[in-house]
C-alpha cells in the first residue's frame, strides 16, 4: 500500500451538445433546442491512496481542482424559431474525487483507468435546485514513476 501526491493539468477542451428542452412555467410554447459549447481547462493537486496486489493496483483520489470555463449557448424555440443567446464565464476551485485501477507494465510504468469528478459553478450550465454542475471524466492514463519505483 502506498501514498502519492499527484498533479495534473487539462488543457482547454470543448464540450458541445444539442438537447431538446421543455420549459413549463415561463413559456406556454415551451419546446426548445439548446445548442451549447463549453470550453474548460483545469489543474489538479491530489493525495492518492494506492492499494496493490501483484501487478494490479486500486486507488482513491482526493484533492483540489482549479478550473476556468465558458459556456456559449443558443436556445432555439421550436414554436417560432426565435433564438436567445447566452454567454457565461466562471472560474473557481472545488473538491476533486476519483477512483481507479492500474496495471504495472514494467518497473516504472503503469496503465490506469480512472473516473474523477469535480464541481463547477451551477450558473455556468444554467442549473439550480437539486441539480448541480460537475466535470466528470473517465480517463485512460500512462503513468511513469520516478524515484521510488514499483516493487
Amino acid at each position: 500500500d502506498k501514498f502519492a501526491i499527484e498533479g495534473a493539468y487539462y488543457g482547454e477542451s470543448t464540450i458541445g451538445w444539442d438537447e431538446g428542452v421543455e420549459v413549463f412555467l415561463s413559456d406556454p410554447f415551451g419546446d426548445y433546442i439548446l445548442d451549447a459549447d463549453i470550453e474548460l481547462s483545469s489543474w489538479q493537486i491530489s493525495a492518492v491512496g494506492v492499494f496493490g496486489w501483484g501487478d494490479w493496483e486500486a486507488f482513491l483520489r482526493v484533492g483540489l481542482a482549479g478550473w476556468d470555463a465558458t459556456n456559449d449557448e443558443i436556445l432555439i424555440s421550436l414554436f417560432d424559431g426565435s433564438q436567445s443567446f447566452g454567454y457565461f464565464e466562471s472560474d473557481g476551485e472545488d473538491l476533486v474525487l476519483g477512483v481507479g485501477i492500474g496495471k504495472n507494465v514494467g518497473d516504472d510504468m503503469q496503465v490506469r483507468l480512472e473516473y474523477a469528478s469535480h464541481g463547477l459553478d451551477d450558473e455556468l450550465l444554467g442549473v439550480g435546485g437539486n441539480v448541480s454542475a460537475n466535470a466528470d471524466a473517465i480517463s485512460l492514463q500512462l503513468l511513469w514513476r520516478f524515484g521510488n519505483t514499483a516493487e
Side-chain angles (χ1 to χ4, degrees):
D1 297 343
K2 303 170 195 157
F3 173 79
I5 300 293
E6 293 183 359
Y9 176 76
Y10 301 97
E12 190 170 285
S13 58
T14 300
I15 305 164
W17 75 86
D18 295 320
E19 176 180 358
V21 178
E22 288 192 26
V23 178
F24 295 103
L25 298 176
S26 62
D27 189 341
F29 309 106
D31 290 329
Y32 292 87
I33 294 175
L34 174 65
D35 180 8
D37 291 312
I38 298 172
E39 292 184 2
L40 174 68
S41 60
S42 174
W43 58 263
Q44 297 179 8
I45 186 84
S46 302
V48 181
V50 181
F51 313 97
W53 66 98
D55 283 340
W56 288 90
E57 294 180 344
F59 61 94
L60 298 173
R61 172 183 310 282
V62 176
L64 180 67
W67 52 269
D68 183 37
T70 60
N71 180 3
D72 193 6
E73 64 184 26
I74 303 170
L75 195 61
I76 304 165
S77 170
L78 295 177
F79 176 70
D80 63 6
S82 64
Q83 298 180 357
S84 299
F85 299 89
Y87 180 83
F88 304 94
E89 188 172 356
S90 189
D91 60 17
E93 294 83 29
D94 281 284
L95 179 68
V96 61
L97 300 172
V99 61
I101 59 170
K103 169 89 167 79
N104 293 331
V105 288
D107 289 338
D108 57 1
M109 299 291 284
Q110 185 180 71
V111 176
R112 295 201 293 192
L113 182 65
E114 178 180 14
Y115 168 78
S117 178
H118 67 77
L120 295 172
D121 185 350
D122 290 349
E123 287 192 12
L124 180 70
L125 300 179
V127 298
N130 294 330
V131 179
S132 63
N134 291 305
D136 298 330
I138 296 174
S139 60
L140 183 61
Q141 307 164 1
L142 181 61
L143 179 73
W144 175 56
R145 291 189 177 105
F146 56 95
N148 187 12
T149 60
E151 298 175 13

